[in-house]
Amino acid sequence: MSDRELYCDTCEGVQPFEAPPCVDGHGADCPELACVSCGAAVLIATVSLPPTRPTARPHPHPHPHRHAA
């Protein structure tokens, strides 16, 4: 089990949180944590995005210059 100190909304303060036994196979990296004091659960979500590539912007078409007659 991994211990972390996080803010618990129910306890209204920083409390130790631990990962309960994970049935999904995450082991110590389980995103579910429970407050040791009150049992409130939190989910630690990590986001992994692929690197973005700059999109090609269309070049503005040059307007023909008009000359006075």
Side-chain angles (χ1 to χ4, degrees):
M1 289 189 196
S2 63
D3 291 310
R4 300 180 192 181
E5 288 190 348
L6 300 171
Y7 182 83
C8 178
D9 288 332
T10 304
C11 296
E12 297 181 346
V14 176
Q15 299 293 333
F17 278 73
E18 63 183 17
C22 182
V23 296
D24 296 327
H26 296 120
D29 295 327
C30 185
E32 299 175 23
L33 299 174
C35 176
V36 175
S37 297
C38 71
V42 295
L43 179 66
I44 306 296
T46 58
V47 178
S48 177
L49 300 174
T52 59
R53 295 182 186 158
T55 57
R57 294 185 182 185
H59 296 286
H61 298 289
H63 298 294
H65 298 291
R66 296 185 183 190
H67 298 284

